[in-house]
Amino acid sequence: MTEKLLISLTVNGERHDDLVVESRHTLVDVLRHRLGLTGTHAGCEHGVCGACTVLLDGAPARACLIFAAQAEGQEIRTVESLAGGGEMNDLQRAFSAHHALQCGFCTPGFLMLAEGFLTERPDATRAEIRELVSASLCRCTGYQTIVDAIEDCARGRRREVGEVR
Amino acid sequence: MKPAPFTYHRARDVAGAVSLLTELGEDAKYIAGGQSLVAMMNFRLARPAHLVDLGGLRGELAYIRDDGGVLRLGALTTHHQVENAPLGPGFAVLRDAMGWIGHLPIRTRGTVGGSLAHGEATAEWCLLAVLLGAEVVVQGTAGVRRVPAEELFLSFFTTALEPEEMIVEVVFPRPAPHAALTEFAQRRGDYAIVAAAVDLEAERVVLGGVAPVPLRVPEAEAVLARGGTFAECAAAAAAAIDPPADGSGGADYRRALTRTLLVRACEAAMRR
Ligand SMILES: Cc1cc2nc3c(=O)[nH]c(=O)nc-3n(C[C@H](O)[C@H](O)[C@H](O)COP(=O)(O)OP(=O)(O)OC[C@H]3O[C@@H](n4cnc5c(N)ncnc54)[C@H](O)[C@@H]3O)c2cc1C
Ligand code: FES
Ligand code: FES
């Protein structure tokens, strides 16, 4: 029996009521196929590759290991939330500047991973960032440029906070 | 792949969840963080007909309480909560071990109770519970019982829990200021090939990856008790075990890892 559920999800600040999903639909599938948010990618679907990483109440999580129904009531953020007014955010610009992507399949996952991590640990060291990126797989870049980009973005954000003070 | 169809239920309180699971029978399962279960369902290695989501009980069952040397963790406490907790020296070993569990996005969802119920023999929580002599508080239809961690793990992914029993809390009864866990895996974040944990004060040695369950090694513990060296302790452990051989390593390789890792764990425990 295929059970249908009526759920509502809050994604990138927008509430989607009356979503009809199957109980077995994972969050990544609902984001992509029901909401058309195809920035979040699906790779391995068992928690290993990180392509599906999104933020749940601000914390990085695997959208392939969460049933959509479980995410009701939580704030979901996807890669589409980073850019504003047609402008990439500082993290995205750092990825671009450091050549931290080639094919781009892994990129949305790395961006959301880093976005969530830097919010919690704005003072992260390079060693901690290296440790962090072990959470996602990239077949193209060799990771160094991804670490460079995240570190550069963190430095920039610290500078900005310093100037405001 | 996609999971097989199932019916989704939400738990509103512990007693209700236990009654519901009892009612639904053996084809029903709890889901906590889903970091093991959903992966297994996506591959159809698990196909429960019903899932009872414990997510709604987080307010009640996600907590870290230090009652003067006794540490209580609610079953729905995440690995990441423990990683960030201001634990004193008595329980810092728990906090420091969290970094070995998968990766940040796994740790923000995965729970202490889920790890213990899943019962993977190299899972950090399973090893730590045995190392520190934890008691697992379990609610079933007949009420609450307390299972010593050493009696919880029976075999590969098999625990002493009845299908409807829910882990509600884990109690660590004594501080372990001189304890440490270390391990080796091919890739950062993978389950360990071998994991070694030691509590120098309690004179306990626990290994993962060398048996179907987290293994205490009395031969190595005896070396600590008589004041032997760390190298002697590690050699005694390596000689005592009969590790499995599989794709990630042969028996001799696991014995060699045991020897190296146990010395490292002892040194780290002493440095604390
Ligand atoms: C890529 C990857 C790497 C990982 N690496 C590691 C690692 O190195 N070390 C490690 O320990 N873990 C690792 N994990 C697993 C992770 O730690 C899980 O969080 C943990 O095993 C299960 O916790 P959960 O809350 O997600 O449980 P679930 O996946 O929700 O449930 C697991 C099982 O426990 C049962 N269950 C859950 N909660 C309860 C409860 N309160 N009472 C009774 N039964 C319950 C469920 O019915 C199910 O059978 C990894 C996972 C992934 C995807
Ligand atoms: S698709 Fe989710 S981790 Fe690979
Ligand atoms: S840029 Fe191609 S996988 Fe990372």
Side-chain angles (χ1 to χ4, degrees), chain A residues 3 23-24 29 45 60 69 131, chain B residues 2-3 6 10 42 108 188:
Chain A
E3 189 197 35
S23 46
R24 64 178 176 151
D29 284 342
E45 303 193 300
E131 165 82 43
Chain B
K2 306 294 174 190
F6 62 87
R10 268 191 191 139
N42 284 350
T108 61
R188 188 73 192 158

Side-chain angles (χ1 to χ4, degrees), chain A residues 1-3 5 23-24 26 29 44-47 53 56 59-62 64-67 69-70 72 74 113 117 120 131-132 134-135, chain B residues 1-8 10 31-35 38-39 41-44 51 53 58 80 84 99 103-106 108-109 188:
Chain A
M1 190 194 63
T2 306
E3 189 197 35
L5 299 172
S23 46
R24 64 178 176 151
T26 56
D29 284 342
C44 66
E45 303 193 300
H46 65 287
T53 305
L56 272 194
R62 304 289 206 224
C64 71
L65 296 186
I66 298 165
F67 291 114
Q70 290 178 280
E72 230 183 3
Q74 287 178 289
L113 176 73
F117 175 74
E120 191 179 286
E131 165 82 43
L132 173 80
S134 73
Chain B
M1 262 173 75
K2 306 294 174 190
F6 62 87
T7 308
Y8 176 81
R10 268 191 191 139
I31 180 165
Q35 301 303 290
V38 181
M41 289 176 67
N42 284 350
F43 277 93
R44 302 207 178 190
L51 281 189
D53 184 1
R58 266 188 286 254
H80 191 54
N84 280 345
H103 309 283
L104 177 64
I106 313 282
T108 61
R109 298 282 302 171
R188 188 73 192 158

Side-chain angles (χ1 to χ4, degrees), chain B residues 10 42 49 83 124-126 138-139 143 157 162 164 168 177-178 210 213 217 219 237 258 266:
Chain B
R10 268 191 191 139
N42 284 350
E83 185 174 25
E124 288 73 9
W125 279 115
C126 300
V138 171
Q139 176 135 357
F157 300 106
E162 296 299 327
E164 82 287 358
V168 291
H178 294 286
V210 304
V213 295
V217 191
E219 293 84 346
T258 297
C266 288

Side-chain angles (χ1 to χ4, degrees), chain B residues 222-238:
Chain B
V223 175
L224 292 180
R226 67 166 163 76
T229 64
F230 296 156
E232 286 165 354
C233 170

Side-chain angles (χ1 to χ4, degrees), chain A residues 6-18:
Chain A
L6 191 61
I7 64 169
S8 84
L9 293 179
T10 306
V11 186
N12 302 334
E14 195 183 328
R15 203 182 146 111
H16 301 266
D17 283 319
D18 298 338

Side-chain angles (χ1 to χ4, degrees), chain B residues 130-131 150 197-200 202-207 215-228 232-234 236-237 240 262:
Chain B
V130 173
L131 183 74
E150 272 190 82
V198 66
D199 180 343
L200 292 178
E203 290 156 357
R204 270 200 193 202
V205 172
V206 182
L207 299 175
L215 188 74
R216 268 186 76 178
V217 191
E219 293 84 346
E221 293 177 354
V223 175
L224 292 180
R226 67 166 163 76
E232 286 165 354
C233 170
L262 194 49

Side-chain angles (χ1 to χ4, degrees), chain A residues 116-159:
Chain A
F117 175 74
L118 289 182
T119 307
E120 191 179 286
R121 297 196 52 86
D123 295 322
T125 62
R126 188 172 175 90
E128 286 166 342
I129 294 168
R130 283 177 59 88
E131 165 82 43
L132 173 80
V133 300
S134 73
S136 280
L137 296 180
C138 176
R139 284 306 194 212
C140 304
T141 65
Y143 300 91
Q144 299 301 333
T145 55
I146 297 177
V147 175
D148 292 343
I150 298 173
E151 194 181 23
D152 193 19
C153 173
R155 221 180 284 124
R157 288 184 184 181
R158 285 198 291 266
R159 225 173 5 246

